[in-house]
Amino acid sequence: MDRYSYALRQPATADEIETIKRNRSLAFLKTKHFDAALSDTGFPNFNTKPPEKALFRAAEALYHLERYTECCEVLELLRTNFPHNSQGLVALDRARGRCLEQKTGAYNFKQLQAKAEKLQPPHLDHATYIGPVEIKQAKSKGRGLFVTKAVKAGDLLFCEKAFSCAYTNESATGGNEGGSKVTLLLNPETNQGFLGGQADLIKTIVQKLYRNPSLAPAFTTLYHGTYKGVTTPAVDTESIVDT
């Protein structure tokens, strides 16, 4: 990525700049910098004849940012302009599935459970559904979850995808022997430490927030007691993650 960024600081034509950004967007995708990858594709201000790679990479970034409706719109544009792109058709079908889940909560939970049992780590590719519920203040009791309409037993109120997760294979033989790795995080200021899955989870959350600042509100608006977080989101274009 640094090489592409360096190239963008050199004299270049408009076409050369566009090509360099498209290539850098792929590098950003591979390192999970989805915000930056999306920016380099030109989204949402595509020209009248957007390049095939720019559309596909924009759709991929939007998908990983869980912006499924916009992802479908870009993939529809890709299908119109490049009807022979088979990968685009597969991606569109997948994105439509996420849109349906996001809007209706149409999940096959038995199928999800069966699939998760076969995967290590058990990561599933599905969307969050927020149904007839809302968060609001409950007078002196702080924030609470309230339904927005009458519901009955068995109604799905919400099904939220984890912001981040860490998987520790406790059944692995040998413990720390045989080269298996265990993450250890130490805080010298508080003399506290975190080991294993908890340390992995802290690390993955921080990396996700650092790489994709647009996702931060989903995490920073969670309940955090009386703690006062930082108010400056970035310094010298670099994201600040308050840990």
Side-chain angles (χ1 to χ4, degrees):
M1 292 183 292
D2 290 341
R3 293 292 183 182
Y4 291 124
S5 299
Y6 174 79
L8 288 171
R9 295 194 294 269
Q10 311 309 309
T13 65
D15 287 342
E16 289 171 338
I17 291 174
E18 194 172 302
T19 299
I20 294 169
K21 283 189 173 183
R22 279 202 303 274
N23 290 335
R24 189 173 66 169
S25 72
L26 179 59
F28 278 133
L29 284 173
K30 289 183 178 295
T31 55
K32 299 183 180 182
H33 289 75
F34 303 119
D35 280 350
L38 184 61
S39 177
D40 271 355
T41 65
F43 177 87
N45 300 312
F46 296 120
N47 56 38
T48 55
K49 292 184 179 180
E52 186 174 9
K53 290 181 179 179
L55 291 173
F56 193 81
R57 290 168 187 171
E60 188 174 353
L62 288 166
Y63 188 91
H64 287 291
L65 291 170
E66 299 181 28
R67 294 163 60 175
Y68 301 118
T69 299
E70 292 167 288
C71 177
C72 285
E73 292 171 354
V74 172
L75 288 170
E76 289 283 8
L77 183 59
L78 177 66
R79 185 179 67 165
T80 299
N81 291 355
F82 305 95
H84 300 297
N85 188 314
S86 57
Q87 285 184 301
L89 293 175
V90 173
L92 178 58
D93 184 63
R94 182 180 65 161
R96 284 173 172 170
R98 300 294 81 74
C99 280
L100 182 65
E101 293 168 346
Q102 196 173 55
K103 293 176 182 177
T104 68
Y107 303 99
N108 185 330
F109 288 106
K110 288 186 177 180
Q111 188 179 74
L112 296 185
Q113 184 177 3
K115 187 175 181 180
E117 290 174 351
K118 297 178 181 179
L119 297 175
Q120 290 190 2
H123 292 164
L124 302 178
D125 182 18
H126 293 278
T128 288
Y129 166 71
I130 303 298
V133 294
E134 64 178 353
I135 297 172
K136 61 182 182 181
Q137 289 296 126
K139 296 184 178 180
S140 61
K141 302 298 182 181
R143 295 190 299 179
L145 186 67
F146 297 82
V147 295
T148 57
K149 67 176 184 180
V151 296
K152 60 182 184 297
D155 286 350
L156 181 63
L157 300 183
F158 67 91
C159 184
E160 187 167 14
K161 186 173 184 176
F163 181 83
S164 190
C165 64
Y167 175 76
T168 302
N169 188 356
E170 296 179 354
S171 64
T173 58
N176 289 333
E177 299 174 3
S180 61
K181 297 180 179 179
V182 176
T183 302
L184 173 64
L185 291 180
L186 297 175
N187 186 338
E189 294 183 1
T190 61
N191 291 322
Q192 289 181 313
F194 302 94
L195 180 70
Q198 188 176 10
D200 286 330
L201 182 58
I202 293 172
K203 181 177 69 175
T204 57
I205 290 173
V206 169
Q207 289 176 341
K208 186 172 183 177
L209 293 171
Y210 176 75
R211 293 167 178 165
N212 302 288
S214 71
L215 299 178
F219 184 81
T220 56
T221 56
L222 295 174
Y223 177 75
H224 47 75
T226 59
Y227 177 75
K228 301 295 183 181
V230 298
T231 57
T232 303
V235 172
D236 294 333
T237 72
E238 294 292 332
S239 300
I240 293 177
V241 179
D242 181 9
T243 58

